[in-house]
Amino acid sequence: MYSSTQAYGCYRRLSCARSVRRLLQHSKVPIIRPGDSILNNISINSPKFSASTPRGGPGRMGQTSTPCALSTSAHDKDAGGALVTHWEGTVEGADKGSLHGLTFVAKDNLAVKGVRTGAGNPTWLSTHPLPEEASNPAVQALLTAGATLVGKAEMDELAFSLNGQNVHYGTPLNAADAARIPGGSSSGSCTAVAVGFCDFSLGTDTAGSVRVPASYQGLYGIRTTHGRCSLEGCVPLAPSFDSLGWFARDAKLMCQIGDVLLADTSPNPRHFKRCIVGTDAFALANESTREALLGLISRDDNNSSIHALLCDLSGSPEDVQLAPGGMQGWKEVFRVLQMADIWHALGGWITENEPKFGADVDGRFKMSKEIDRNTTKVNECKQTKSAIVERMINLLAMDAEGADSPAVLLVPTTPAPAPLIDTPANELDDFRQRAFSLTCMASLAGLPQVNIPAATVDGAPVGLGLIGPRGTDEHLLALAVELSAAM
């Protein structure tokens, strides 16, 4: 049996420029099945990486880095304001396992046995005074695989923001540019990895909460297929859209983590045959970001092995308009359904406890309450969502002639680099809405998406998003490894 990283090993045994086409044409990409190992069968003639090589410290664009040393107190190290203060412990991983010697942090909405969960809000922490009785399954799986938990990560209040700014606990550092916001809501999880405090981290993604900070800070990040990884023991935001995710500085390590967290789930065995480019998604990006990313995808010269690799999927990347009626319409459908779902999940607790939120988050919760009352609008948006999901599934499953032809979709992860910290609130919200238009595609359809730190604009990173059909998480991670090598 094979996994996506074995598929990656097959990619590497072919020349970069011809690899994907030959694999597709001759059906040499192995079928992925539950329980397959991701990293054990990678064939790389490079001393920089092996399945047992721990990684840590700053690294970019797929480069391997040195392990993070675990001091007597992990919190003695500067984590860039990424960690919660209500728990400063560690949980040792198993004595052996595929992740032995690696360290990680978990977002503070994920349960850790014996630790209180704060979810980015002091009222939540005070109204949930008892330590958790069991860890979230992903946390436990990583510990069982040998990784050591070295902290819990700060986050936006109840995960209801993309900015990474928390009025109660402060703003974690953007390790790529300290003058810019870090991105959220998995802000601390991203920062802890980006500054080299730990090797990788867990986050959650509802509307971009892994993808956005990964783009802002130049990391690899994944939003997994909705429902594929258990969120038992996770404080909900919008359960219809909440998904597990993780961050790393190294694309190969992303696969290694996937080997653990996706092992007992059901992958999609169909490999990619096409590459499509969402033209209306790129139209939402700033000109400089659009040019930087499309330059990697489009140009056919000796300086773009990425372009050559993508061309081998189907001759050349295919331009596609994703939303004939406009991306703004998709964003509005997502906004309505997400907010109604949020009030269903958290409205009772908010009404009972009257927590104090930051002004922006407070305004969103009040809007969620109002939208939840408008059942007519919610039901209309549910119907429209069904059409959007069908559109996305068909685009990624079939070619223009209707033949079975799974595709990877390329989009900008965010419209531009992270906004500056001192950006006025109204401008920040406008930017957030543009980002929503890009992130809502995968969220609405429950699709997996990987962010690749692909380019630099105005001295700050911007990410390229890879979206695949449901269950193709491993294929996306394998492709991310190949693309990172091509960079």
Side-chain angles (χ1 to χ4, degrees):
M1 293 195 299
Y2 292 86
S3 74
S4 61
T5 308
Q6 289 173 296
Y8 165 69
C10 292
Y11 290 167
R12 294 294 293 169
R13 284 190 283 271
L14 298 174
S15 68
C16 177
R18 308 301 299 177
S19 59
V20 182
R21 176 179 290 164
R22 293 181 185 179
L23 287 169
L24 297 173
Q25 289 178 342
H26 301 290
S27 300
K28 292 184 179 180
V29 176
I31 293 176
I32 305 171
R33 299 185 176 90
D36 289 348
S37 171
I38 288 183
L39 292 177
N40 290 345
N41 293 280
I42 289 180
S43 175
I44 303 178
N45 298 319
S46 169
K48 290 185 177 182
F49 175 77
S50 70
S52 61
T53 303
R55 281 163 299 280
R60 290 293 305 278
M61 302 301 184
Q63 296 178 353
T64 306
S65 47
T66 57
C68 292
L70 180 61
S71 62
T72 303
S73 171
H75 290 258
D76 291 340
K77 296 181 65 176
D78 180 15
L83 304 183
V84 302
T85 57
H86 63 263
W87 182 67
E88 296 187 354
T90 62
V91 181
E92 294 291 334
D95 291 338
K96 59 182 179 179
S98 62
L99 300 180
H100 181 67
L102 300 180
T103 59
F104 74 104
V105 302
K107 188 175 180 178
D108 196 31
N109 60 351
L110 296 169
V112 174
K113 184 178 180 179
V115 180
R116 298 166 65 198
T117 300
N121 181 271
T123 306
W124 185 275
L125 184 66
S126 66
T127 56
H128 295 78
L130 298 179
E132 301 287 354
E133 295 183 357
S135 293
N136 164 264
V139 173
Q140 186 56 54
L142 296 170
L143 293 169
T144 301
T148 292
L149 179 72
V150 293
K152 295 203 75 179
E154 285 292 4
M155 56 182 282
D156 292 82
E157 295 184 80
L158 298 176
F160 203 2
S161 178
L162 292 178
N163 293 336
Q165 298 168 304
N166 188 309
V167 70
H168 307 288
Y169 302 122
T171 302
L173 175 73
N174 182 324
D177 186 340
R180 299 177 185 270
I181 62 174
S185 64
S186 304
S187 52
S189 296
C190 186
T191 293
V193 175
V195 301
F197 175 78
C198 57
D199 296 293
F200 65 95
S201 63
L202 285 178
T204 58
D205 187 306
T206 304
S209 290
V210 168
R211 294 165 282 167
V212 168
S215 179
Y216 287 175
Q217 298 199 49
L219 294 184
Y220 294 90
I222 183 172
R223 168 204 164 84
T224 55
T225 298
H226 181 258
R228 189 163 179 198
C229 295
S230 173
L231 286 180
E232 180 182 355
C234 177
V235 178
L237 178 62
S240 300
F241 306 105
D242 295 345
S243 292
L244 188 75
W246 57 90
F247 300 91
R249 294 178 298 275
D250 189 310
K252 303 183 193 78
L253 179 53
M254 292 290 291
C255 286
Q256 191 174 359
I257 300 160
D259 187 28
V260 173
L261 298 183
L262 301 171
D264 297 325
T265 61
S266 299
N268 186 331
R270 301 184 305 162
H271 50 77
F272 302 131
K273 295 181 179 180
R274 295 177 296 131
C275 172
I276 59 179
V277 177
T279 55
D280 40 356
F282 274 94
L284 292 170
N286 289 0
E287 182 179 2
S288 54
T289 297
R290 183 167 59 250
E291 289 180 352
L293 295 177
L294 286 177
L296 292 172
I297 298 168
S298 303
R299 69 175 181 241
D300 190 8
D301 57 44
N302 293 330
N303 294 322
S304 185
S305 51
I306 283 183
H307 173 77
L309 190 150
L310 293 174
C311 281
D312 282 341
L313 281 170
S314 59
S316 63
E318 173 190 356
D319 288 345
V320 172
Q321 184 181 15
L322 302 173
M327 298 295 296
Q328 296 297 321
W330 286 20
K331 181 202 71 174
E332 178 63 12
V333 169
F334 178 72
R335 186 187 72 88
V336 169
L337 295 181
Q338 181 204 28
M339 285 191 163
D341 206 23
I342 287 170
W343 194 253
H344 273 287
L346 297 171
W349 175 82
I350 292 172
T351 300
E352 179 181 354
N353 295 282
E354 299 182 345
K356 182 179 180 181
F357 295 120
D360 56 340
V361 176
D362 185 59
R364 289 182 206 126
F365 276 119
K366 289 177 178 176
M367 180 63 70
S368 296
K369 182 178 180 178
E370 292 302 314
I371 286 177
D372 186 56
R373 291 173 174 172
N374 191 342
T375 55
T376 300
K377 186 171 185 178
V378 171
N379 288 333
E380 289 174 352
C381 286
K382 286 181 179 179
Q383 293 179 358
T384 306
K385 179 198 171 188
S386 297
I388 294 171
V389 172
E390 183 179 6
R391 167 72 173 165
M392 288 297 295
I393 289 175
N394 289 338
L395 276 175
L396 295 175
M398 298 178 291
D399 62 21
E401 285 71 42
D404 181 72
S405 183
V408 57
L409 167 65
L410 306 184
V411 298
T413 303
T414 57
L420 297 173
I421 289 177
D422 59 0
T423 300
N426 62 324
E427 294 181 20
L428 203 57
D429 189 64
D430 288 344
F431 188 90
R432 177 177 174 273
Q433 295 303 320
R434 290 173 60 204
F436 248 42
S437 296
L438 290 172
T439 60
C440 72
M441 294 174 284
S443 296
L444 279 168
L447 304 175
Q449 180 173 346
V450 170
N451 176 74
I452 294 179
T456 299
V457 173
D458 298 329
V462 291
L464 178 66
L466 313 178
I467 300 176
R470 290 180 60 87
T472 58
D473 311 62
E474 294 94 335
H475 291 295
L476 291 176
L477 291 171
L479 182 58
V481 173
E482 188 67 10
L483 290 175
S484 71
M487 293 178 188

